[in-house]
Amino acid sequence: MRDPLPVTGAWRPGDPPGRRQFLTIATQRPIALEGGGQLRDVTIAYETWGDLDADAGNAILVCHAWTGDSHATGQSGRGHPTSGWWEGVVGPGRGIDTEHFFVVCANVLGGCQGSTGPSSLDPATGRPYGSRFPVVTVRDMVRVQAALADHLGIRSWFSVTGGSMGGMQALEWAITYPGRVRSLVPIASGLAHSAQQIAWGAIGRRAVTLDPKWRGGDYYDAEPGEGPHAGLAVARQIAQITFRSDGVFTDRFGRQMADRDDTFELWQRFEVERYLEYHGEKLVRRFDANSYLWISKAMDLHDVGRGRGGPERAVARIGAVPTLVVGIWSDVLYPAYQQRHIVDLLSTQGTPAEYVEIDSPDGHDAFLIDTEQVGAALATFFERVEKGP
């Protein structure tokens, strides 16, 4: 008999830290959030690889996507249930070469793998925030990362990069702190979430909140097996469909049945259903349902032009920062036209910007799967940036 699913897959104080390091900020004065809330005693979980130069000029910030964390590269083990999510890109001799660069990756604000999020203890009550956690935005995440950069003695990043939500953070970094970013690589991302992207996020959030075991977001004192597993698993299954392409699903599964097919039954499964079930349960074991909701909302709120006079004026703040924008031809979630639009706006204002498209059938997840192409594009771009104009 399998062990019951944990109420939350969040990392908790007392769990093995693995390679995580921790910084606590806002101990004297709370952070004012973009949406009007505030937080104090904010913890940032982060990991680093490589050595920082004496002038701190070789630092690269790697920003993770929706359900990622600080463990961008490295083996699984105590504290890290899975190996690094960008293992093929970050490491010695890879696209982001840790023998040359000092690489930093932090779990985002609102996350559940060591940074302050809904599963964290509220210092005012000593209980998990749960439903009382405020709405955070990608800009809030970046402001917290800026405090981490200050702590590490990094006045400016050689580059900021990431895919999907990581690309949103990279764009916000270059717009919010243009003097602190020397080059920029957003991957499979856009300037703002589109109506369809918001629609996908809304369906996933509804799946979680309709699970009666979600309990309005205050489920952390439930017994093992009594968490909102069903809702989170369904939300992940919905998202998983958007992460891949029709061709990949067809080639891998076709119409193959997972269960006996000599008679028809209502709950008889196709192989693709079993695949989705696997990914749903896999996420439940390593993530928190509330963090899934809060980060999903932050992604839907992503709009670099908000409060800045629109995207054109916002992007103008990037100035002369060399930029590589990476798209994926088969991406149905963040279509390539969104990345080309970024390049068009940057080029119009005189920013040195180029577009590279990953030739992969793997859909949105290609930035995590086809790491050889991604790594090669990054390495070539970084070499050019170092040589200068």
Side-chain angles (χ1 to χ4, degrees):
M1 182 177 178
R2 300 187 67 179
D3 292 335
L5 291 169
V7 169
T8 174
W11 184 92
R12 300 289 191 90
D15 291 343
R19 295 192 77 260
R20 293 177 184 84
Q21 302 175 64
F22 301 92
L23 171 67
T24 300
I25 62 172
T27 56
Q28 302 298 320
R29 184 174 60 183
I31 295 174
L33 302 172
E34 185 187 4
Q38 62 180 28
L39 288 168
R40 56 180 286 263
D41 295 341
V42 173
T43 297
I44 309 163
Y46 66 99
E47 296 178 44
T48 67
W49 302 265
D51 298 313
L52 189 63
D53 286 350
D55 64 356
N58 68 330
I60 293 179
L61 178 65
V62 169
C63 303
H64 70 73
W66 189 353
T67 61
D69 54 29
S70 64
H71 199 52
T73 188
Q75 296 180 343
S76 60
R78 287 176 57 82
H80 302 294
T82 59
S83 58
W85 54 268
W86 232 9
E87 187 76 18
V89 174
V90 180
R94 296 173 189 156
I96 302 178
D97 188 352
T98 53
E99 293 181 331
H100 183 63
F101 294 109
F102 178 70
V103 181
V104 180
C105 184
N107 187 212
V108 297
L109 179 68
C112 62
Q113 290 300 316
S115 290
T116 295
S119 61
S120 303
L121 297 182
D122 179 352
T125 65
R127 296 176 56 81
Y129 281 102
S131 62
R132 295 172 298 282
F133 195 75
V135 170
V136 298
T137 66
V138 174
R139 291 184 199 176
D140 294 324
M141 297 172 185
V142 166
R143 288 179 57 212
V144 168
Q145 292 167 358
L148 173 60
D150 293 340
H151 169 74
L152 295 173
I154 299 169
R155 297 183 62 184
S156 67
W157 299 101
F158 172 80
S159 194
V160 181
T161 185
S164 195
M165 188 183 77
M168 300 176 197
Q169 296 166 66
L171 287 164
E172 279 290 347
W173 254 103
I175 293 168
T176 305
Y177 303 104
R180 303 191 68 171
V181 178
R182 291 163 51 202
S183 68
L184 174 66
V185 189
I187 303 170
S189 193
L191 297 171
H193 248 201
S194 69
Q196 187 176 68
Q197 288 158 347
I198 293 169
W200 283 118
I203 294 171
R205 291 193 295 275
R206 183 61 60 90
V208 174
T209 58
L210 285 177
D211 187 332
K213 294 182 180 180
W214 180 62
R215 304 182 186 184
D218 298 308
Y219 51 83
Y220 295 107
D221 59 353
E223 294 296 320
E226 295 300 313
H229 310 129
L232 179 56
V234 170
R236 180 61 166 190
Q237 290 169 26
I238 294 168
Q240 193 68 29
I241 297 169
T242 72
F243 295 159
R244 308 304 290 273
S245 69
D246 173 70
V248 165
F249 278 119
T250 299
D251 291 345
R252 182 170 178 180
F253 303 109
R255 294 183 50 78
Q256 184 67 34
M257 299 296 296
D259 302 323
R260 54 178 291 188
D261 60 358
D262 52 338
T263 59
F264 296 152
E265 300 173 4
L266 182 60
W267 301 113
Q268 189 177 33
R269 296 174 304 164
F270 289 89
E271 281 289 352
V272 70
E273 292 179 83
R274 186 161 68 173
Y275 164 83
L276 294 175
E277 290 169 1
Y278 165 78
H279 278 282
E281 180 173 329
K282 183 179 178 182
L283 184 73
V284 165
R285 291 186 178 277
R286 68 171 183 85
F287 213 73
D288 177 62
N290 278 340
S291 277
Y292 195 89
L293 295 176
W294 263 256
I295 294 176
S296 169
K297 189 66 175 183
M299 293 166 66
D300 284 350
L301 288 169
H302 171 62
D303 179 359
V304 300
R306 183 176 55 246
R308 294 168 172 156
E312 293 83 2
R313 289 189 178 182
V315 169
R317 296 164 60 100
I318 295 176
V321 174
T323 301
L324 171 67
V325 181
V326 180
I328 302 160
W329 76 262
S330 58
D331 193 341
V332 296
L333 182 57
Y334 291 86
Y337 78 83
Q338 293 186 329
Q339 291 88 60
R340 293 194 187 98
H341 182 51
I342 298 171
V343 175
D344 289 344
L345 289 185
L346 289 171
S347 299
T348 298
Q349 69 176 21
T351 298
E354 60 182 296
Y355 174 69
V356 169
E357 191 163 278
I358 301 302
D359 183 11
S360 169
D362 287 313
H364 185 61
D365 269 357
F367 81 92
L368 298 170
I369 297 171
D370 291 280
T371 54
E372 185 173 342
Q373 289 188 63
V374 175
L378 288 168
T380 300
F381 175 69
F382 293 154
E383 183 178 2
R384 199 157 52 243
V385 171
E386 287 188 303
K387 289 180 178 178

